[in-house]
């Protein structure tokens, strides 16, 4: 199911200028602000900020009349080209973080096709909240909406003001469009006025009316916009890319629709990208492959790498693993591969030597494969952290996080598998300091053939909560034992075996050695 976000910036021109001039006048009190353009020897308002709009100033009004509403009005010359370039930069920023398919929605918004991107943030709502928070943090006024179609998202973002992202549930775009005004269809102002004179105020009235008379009077654009918003015909988003990015494109003589054909083209595209990356001395950290269907609809897949890479086979494998998410429809007529994120990567001798493979496991390649299948947020590794208690000496770290320099003691091995909570067991031991001869765990008897210990650990008495915080003095005596079936387990007694103050003298199992 396609999901499109429309980011509407109602005061884009004035917000951009305020942000641009903030450093020159950091302590200046904000005054109503408008931008102006010349019009037949006079100056008229091109755009307004929130304060000016509240005072009744609207685009098209002369500057003289606008000053009668607010004598302190700040008037700045409009910069349409700078506005467009700023909108493009904002779209490219969003493309780096949220979606491979982004484009400016001139003059006051951007499109994001987030199909398949929500799991990277946990959920669609999490993605929208992050986008809303970050754009608002730039000092920009915004309204945000997501729907199945670009037309519906565009209409809701502009017609349903809200202080939070508005979500149109999958399949509800027709219902959402029904009660919106005709102007939400992005029609010419004269067409909107003409429809109103005929009694059409809401889109639901237009849906139920005969098409032929209205199409003859207002042209094809009327029903083209309506059908796009309702999802009856596609409305592709033509993504933009920075000019400096490594990029490769293949226009196909005949449309293709099979995974095998996609894989062959992807292999060719990756080969072109690797050549460009090698010339730049960089490696890919992120790759976006765009598929252009014959019906104009665009789809994309995005993969990332844990470390810079220009390994042709590895990058091709990552992209081909996501081919199944592409819906070819009537066929794909063009494919484009872009590297939106690349980092410096020094050349290695093996780059120029045929047949020289890596030695040892390629952990980065394994991390890439798992992260692109299950999501980076679901991938981690275990590492040591300072703690006197074994259950607190293990922490989760990012898969390829740099080492903290902390290590477990080599002469005091810990089990490969530890229980989240130690489980009580019944034990038979001859002497307090000897290893158990037999223990019962989960209703099963284990006879011990040999054991080693004790390793005495003292509790973290400084903790505010937990057993150590409640008792002034706690001791654990750990034993490594091997049973007659070959299993090796890690047992401990809470207490030193003599003084009841040190613990309840109960036995527990804490883990098992591989």
């Amino acid at each position: 199911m396609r999901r499109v976000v429309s980011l509407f910036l109602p005061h884009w021109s004035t917000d951009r200028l305020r942000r641009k001039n903030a450093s020159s006048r950091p302590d200046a009190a904000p005054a109503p602000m408008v931008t102006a353009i010349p019009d037949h020897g006079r100056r008229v308002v091109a755009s307004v900020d929130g304060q000016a709009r509240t005072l009744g100033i609207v685009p098209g009004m002369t500057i003289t009349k606008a000053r009668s509403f607010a004598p302190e009005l700040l008037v700045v010359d409009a910069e349409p080209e700078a506005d467009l370039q700023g909108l493009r930069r904002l779209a490219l920023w969003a493309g780096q973080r949220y979606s491979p398919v982004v484009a400016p929605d001139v003059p006051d918004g951007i499109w994001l096709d987030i199909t398949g991107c929500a799991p990277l943030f946990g959920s669609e709502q999490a993605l929208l909240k992050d986008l809303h928070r970050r754009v608002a943090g730039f000092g920009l006024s915004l309204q945000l909406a997501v729907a199945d179609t670009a037309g519906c998202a565009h209409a809701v973002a502009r017609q349903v003001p809200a202080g939070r992202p508005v979500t149109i549930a999958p399949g509800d775009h027709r219902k959402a469009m029904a009660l919106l005004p005709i102007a939400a269809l992005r029609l010419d102002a004269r067409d909107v006025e003409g429809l109103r004179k005929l009694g059409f105020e809401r889109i639901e009235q237009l849906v139920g009316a005969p098409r032929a008379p209205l199409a003859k009077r207002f042209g094809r654009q009327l029903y083209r916009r309506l059908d796009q918003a309702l999802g009856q015909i596609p409305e592709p988003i033509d993504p933009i890319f920075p000019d400096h990015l490594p990029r490769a494109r293949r226009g196909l003589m005949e449309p293709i629709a099979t995974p095998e054909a996609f894989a062959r083209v992807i292999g060719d595209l990756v080969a072109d990208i690797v050549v460009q990356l090698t010339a730049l001395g960089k490696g890919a950290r992120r790759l976006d492959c765009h598929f252009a269907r014959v019906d104009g609809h665009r789809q994309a897949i995005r993969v990332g790498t844990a470390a810079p890479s220009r390994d042709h086979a590895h990058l091709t494998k990552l992209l081909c693993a996501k081919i199944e998410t592409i819906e070819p429809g009537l066929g794909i007529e063009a494919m484009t591969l872009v590297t939106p994120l690349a980092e410096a990567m020094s050349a290695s001798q093996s780059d120029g030597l045929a047949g020289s493979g890596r030695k040892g496991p390629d952990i980065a390649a394994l991390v890439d494969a798992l992260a692109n299948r299950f999501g980076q947020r679901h991938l981690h590794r275990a590492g040591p952290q300072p703690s006197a208690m074994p259950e607190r000496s293990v922490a989760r770290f990012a898969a390829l996080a740099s080492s903290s320099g902390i290590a477990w003691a080599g002469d005091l091995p810990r089990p490969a598998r530890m229980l989240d909570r130690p489980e009580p067991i019944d034990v038979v031991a001859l002497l307090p300091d000897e290893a158990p001869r037999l223990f019962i765990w989960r209703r099963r008897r284990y006879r011990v053939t040999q054991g080693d210990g004790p390793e005495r650990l003292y509790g973290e008495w400084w903790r505010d909560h937990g057993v150590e915080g409640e008792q002034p003095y706690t001791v654990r005596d750990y034993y490594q034992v091997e049973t007659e079936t070959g299993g090796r387990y890690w047992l401990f007694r809470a207490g030193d075996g003599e003084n009841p103050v040190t613990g309840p003298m109960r036995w527990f199992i804490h883990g098992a050695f591989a």
Side-chain angles (χ1 to χ4, degrees), residues 143-392:
Q143 293 174 202
L144 199 64
V146 59
D148 291 345
T149 66
C152 181
H154 183 280
V156 173
R158 286 153 178 79
Q159 300 296 329
V160 184
R164 56 181 178 80
V166 179
T167 299
I168 305 302
D172 286 351
H173 53 283
R174 296 180 66 91
K175 186 189 304 182
M177 292 294 297
L179 297 179
L180 295 180
I182 297 294
L185 289 176
R186 295 172 288 165
L187 300 174
D188 185 88
R190 291 175 296 180
D191 292 340
V192 173
E193 185 61 28
L195 288 167
R196 284 176 176 169
K197 290 180 179 179
L198 294 176
F200 292 96
E201 295 290 340
R202 299 186 305 276
I203 293 177
E204 64 178 352
Q205 297 173 299
L206 191 61
V207 172
R211 289 197 168 202
L214 293 177
K216 183 177 181 180
R217 178 168 180 175
F218 295 100
R220 296 182 178 179
Q221 184 71 355
L222 170 61
Y223 283 103
R224 176 171 172 268
R225 288 300 190 192
L226 177 62
D227 291 340
Q228 286 176 339
L230 298 180
Q232 296 176 358
I233 61 175
E235 182 176 3
I237 297 174
D238 191 13
I240 62 170
F241 316 108
D243 296 333
H244 65 278
L245 293 183
R247 186 186 322 169
R249 184 181 185 277
R250 289 290 188 277
L252 307 172
M253 296 183 63
E254 294 289 339
I256 59 176
T258 63
E260 294 78 12
F262 293 156
R264 285 195 296 271
V265 178
I266 286 175
D268 293 341
L269 293 173
V270 171
D272 292 348
I273 289 291
V274 167
V275 171
Q276 298 178 45
L277 291 172
T278 303
L280 295 172
K282 294 184 176 182
R285 287 296 310 277
R286 186 177 299 155
L287 288 171
D288 295 339
C289 189
H290 298 260
F291 298 75
R293 293 197 329 199
V294 294
D295 60 3
H297 183 59
R298 284 181 174 268
Q299 299 176 77
I301 54 178
R302 166 171 285 184
V303 298
T305 61
S309 173
R310 47 177 181 258
D311 184 328
H312 177 274
H314 177 53
L315 298 177
T316 302
K317 182 179 179 181
L318 292 179
L319 288 166
C320 290
K322 290 199 170 184
I323 287 177
E324 61 185 16
T325 63
I326 298 300
E327 298 179 2
L330 298 177
I332 301 297
E333 63 179 359
M335 292 171 59
T336 304
L337 185 62
V338 185
T339 311
L341 182 60
E343 294 181 358
M345 181 181 178
S346 58
S348 62
Q349 188 176 18
S350 62
D351 289 343
L353 297 177
S356 60
R358 294 186 180 89
K359 295 183 179 180
D362 189 353
I363 301 300
L366 175 62
V367 169
D368 293 343
L370 295 176
N372 284 286
R373 176 176 291 272
F374 302 110
Q376 187 67 40
R377 294 170 182 260
H378 302 287
L379 201 63
H380 64 270
R381 65 175 176 84
Q385 67 176 0
S387 178
M389 291 292 99
E391 61 268 25
R392 302 191 193 109

Side-chain angles (χ1 to χ4, degrees), residues 423-427 438-447 489 509:
E423 297 183 9
I425 57 175
D426 295 325
V427 167
L438 179 146
F439 66 93
I440 301 174
W441 176 43
R442 296 179 180 177
R443 301 181 180 179
R444 183 177 176 183
R445 290 174 176 267
Y446 295 84
R447 292 191 177 274
Y489 301 93
I509 182 170

Side-chain angles (χ1 to χ4, degrees), residues 98-147:
Y98 299 102
S99 169
V101 181
V102 295
D105 182 13
V106 182
D108 51 14
I110 63 174
W111 301 108
L112 297 91
D113 190 329
I114 62 169
T115 306
C117 299
L120 300 176
F121 292 81
S123 67
E124 184 177 274
Q125 287 299 321
L127 185 154
L128 296 176
K129 287 181 180 179
D130 188 81
L131 175 60
H132 191 281
R133 177 178 59 84
R134 291 179 182 273
V135 175
F138 295 155
L140 304 175
S141 302
L142 75 150
Q143 293 174 202
L144 199 64
V146 59

